Amino acid sequence: MKAVITVIGRDTVGVVAKVSAVCAELNINIEDISQSIMQDMFCMIMLVSLNHCTTDPAAVRDRFTALGDEMKMQVTMTRQEVFDAMHTI
């Protein structure tokens, strides 16, 4: 299963490292990543594979939500099928 992780918030040191560390902790493989900084806002989209993750998807989402709270940023994980359906006209 693939998913999209989005990160939005004020730019700060270590955002990519912290999100990547949670991915490694949960055995989630990062397949693609795009990031940009618009003025002082950090925006990142990651395409990840959950094929080797043994943690329940709801617990994974909760872990990324908690990480977002820690960093004072919005961090969300959406299954790729849901993401694709939301963006199909």
Side-chain angles (χ1 to χ4, degrees):
M1 177 173 76
K2 293 191 180 184
V4 176
I5 297 172
T6 59
V7 181
I8 301 170
R10 297 265 179 226
D11 187 30
T12 186
V13 174
V15 176
V16 176
K18 290 175 184 174
V19 175
S20 298
V22 171
C23 288
E25 168 191 322
L26 298 173
N27 208 23
I28 294 172
N29 186 45
I30 299 168
E31 295 188 347
D32 200 356
I33 181 172
S34 173
Q35 66 180 23
S36 63
I37 299 172
M38 297 183 288
Q39 293 183 359
D40 61 348
M41 294 297 291
F42 178 88
C43 306
M44 179 170 68
I45 301 172
M46 302 173 100
L47 177 63
V48 299
S49 171
L50 295 130
N51 291 340
H52 300 289
C53 178
T54 57
T55 305
D56 176 66
V60 172
R61 279 191 303 275
D62 291 346
R63 179 67 181 96
F64 282 111
T65 299
L67 177 63
D69 293 343
E70 291 171 24
M71 296 189 307
K72 295 183 175 56
M73 301 179 91
Q74 179 186 5
V75 181
T76 59
M77 186 193 79
T78 307
R79 287 192 343 237
Q80 185 179 16
E81 309 87 65
V82 174
F83 188 86
D84 289 344
M86 289 175 13
H87 296 91
T88 301
I89 299 176

